[in-house]
Amino acid sequence: MIFCVYMARQAVLVFKKSKESRHWPATEGVLTDVRLWGKRRINDEMIDSEYLSVSYEYDIDGDQYSGSEVAFFQLHYPETIEFVKAKPKPKGAQVQVTYNPKDFKESVLVPGTHPTKPYGCLLYTSDAADEEDS
């Protein structure tokens, strides 16, 4: 029961933060690492495409920050492939980084809730919510 209450609280915090992130400021950043992982059969071939991991760096007022959150929701295939294909050269590509004006270390590349599943984070909690309690 305690675990269920904890998970529900985390989901609500992630949902709230994802909605707030739509109003956060943005700055230019650079992708330092982009990885697709998790095999999926595409055109009769097993390809890493199920999940996406990224790392990026950005500058605010002369201070360097780094991040690894794509969004407050989990991207899955085909969203992962679409993200990578949107960049001509994913690693080293410029990206818009949306950051928390109260904590510059907190950032995402895709602000807001999932466009087709806005309440999805209430079912899935990201590491971002866990870090809030740290």
Side-chain angles (χ1 to χ4, degrees):
M1 180 72 157
I2 292 172
F3 179 73
C4 290
V5 170
Y6 171 79
M7 292 303 291
R9 179 180 176 273
Q10 294 306 316
V12 169
L13 290 173
V14 169
F15 180 70
K16 180 181 173 201
K17 194 155 291 212
S18 67
K19 287 180 68 174
E20 289 172 358
S21 72
R22 286 186 265 185
H23 306 289
W24 290 355
T27 188
E28 288 295 314
V30 176
L31 288 173
T32 56
D33 191 32
V34 178
R35 285 187 217 167
L36 288 169
W37 54 279
K39 301 281 187 198
R40 184 179 189 91
R41 184 173 301 280
I42 302 172
N43 298 327
D44 280 339
E45 195 176 335
M46 294 303 286
I47 298 173
D48 282 323
S49 59
E50 191 66 30
Y51 305 102
L52 173 68
S53 298
V54 300
S55 297
Y56 51 89
E57 294 178 346
Y58 56 104
D59 181 280
I60 301 173
D61 297 331
D63 293 325
Q64 276 294 121
Y65 297 91
S66 62
S68 60
E69 292 290 330
V70 177
F72 285 106
F73 53 89
Q74 183 74 34
L75 271 69
H76 294 283
Y77 175 85
E79 297 166 319
T80 56
I81 299 291
E82 291 166 2
F83 180 92
V84 172
K85 284 184 177 178
K87 309 292 176 211
K89 178 183 84 172
K91 192 172 178 181
Q94 287 197 326
V95 289
Q96 187 168 1
V97 178
T98 304
Y99 63 92
N100 185 340
K102 297 175 185 170
D103 181 3
F104 295 166
K105 295 177 195 169
E106 184 174 28
S107 61
V108 293
L109 299 180
V110 181
T113 58
H114 192 284
T116 60
K117 301 175 248 174
Y119 301 103
C121 65
L122 294 174
L123 302 174
Y124 168 81
T125 58
S126 76
D127 295 335
D130 295 335
E131 290 173 6
E132 185 165 313
D133 287 338
S134 304

